[in-house]
Amino acid sequence: MVIMIAVFLFMSAANAQSNGSSYTTALGVKFYPGAGISLKHFIKSNAALEGIGYFWKDGIRIAGLYEFHGDINGAPGLKWYVGGGAHISVWNTDWKKNNPGRTNGSSIGVDGVLGLDYKFNGAPINMSIDWQPSVDLGNFYAFNRNWGGISIRYTF
């Protein structure tokens, strides 16, 4: 009985928190390029870790970011964020065929991120839009300016 009461209180607190204008953890999808899975977790009131797994026509990409968040005055639930991290990419055979001379089908690199994050008050929904420029390192060097996108997440 005590365990059931503790679980009920925990779930009530989590639901109340996720329905306000802030959140601790969010899981959802990210679009462009292709589609991805995004998991964001605040480790401090102004700092979050985000993991993104992208799936697009040329392969897959896994990125980890550390983000600093700041409030935007007069806009409850809206925050700006900036940060950085790293990624690993693996390309399929179509990519290799369209990029002659690049026989290696994988890379690692560093990422930056700049964006806006909004938590809907009264609903466990969060949205963000960001730009995530990156540099591929390893067997070849490339600056990629087309990463980032729009995320829609469930908060808890």
Side-chain angles (χ1 to χ4, degrees), residues 75-142:
L78 184 62
K79 295 178 181 286
W80 59 265
Y81 61 95
V82 64
H87 71 270
I88 184 167
S89 298
V90 179
W91 295 288
N92 60 26
T93 55
D94 289 339
W95 181 88
K96 289 187 231 176
K97 185 174 28 173
N98 294 329
N99 293 276
R102 294 188 175 170
T103 57
N104 188 356
S106 64
S107 76
I108 60 170
V110 294
D111 296 64
V113 66
L114 174 65
L116 294 172
D117 186 274
Y118 182 72
K119 166 63 177 72
F120 289 91
N121 191 17
I125 303 296
N126 157 256
M127 291 184 73
S128 66
I129 185 166
D130 61 30
W131 178 48
Q132 189 180 334
S134 64
V135 175
D136 284 321
L137 306 169
N139 291 337
F140 65 94
Y141 169 86

Side-chain angles (χ1 to χ4, degrees), residues 17-31 36-42 48-52 67 69-71 75-81 115-130 149-156:
Q17 185 269 334
S18 68
N19 284 331
S21 62
S22 65
Y23 64 97
T24 302
T25 304
L27 176 65
V29 294
K30 186 166 192 170
F31 301 101
I37 299 169
S38 169
L39 175 65
K40 183 181 264 192
H41 177 74
F42 280 84
L49 297 174
E50 183 176 6
I52 308 161
E67 302 167 350
H69 288 248
D71 293 329
L78 184 62
K79 295 178 181 286
W80 59 265
Y81 61 95
L116 294 172
D117 186 274
Y118 182 72
K119 166 63 177 72
F120 289 91
N121 191 17
I125 303 296
N126 157 256
M127 291 184 73
S128 66
I129 185 166
D130 61 30
I150 298 172
S151 296
I152 302 169
R153 302 182 198 93
Y154 178 80
T155 62
F156 48 97

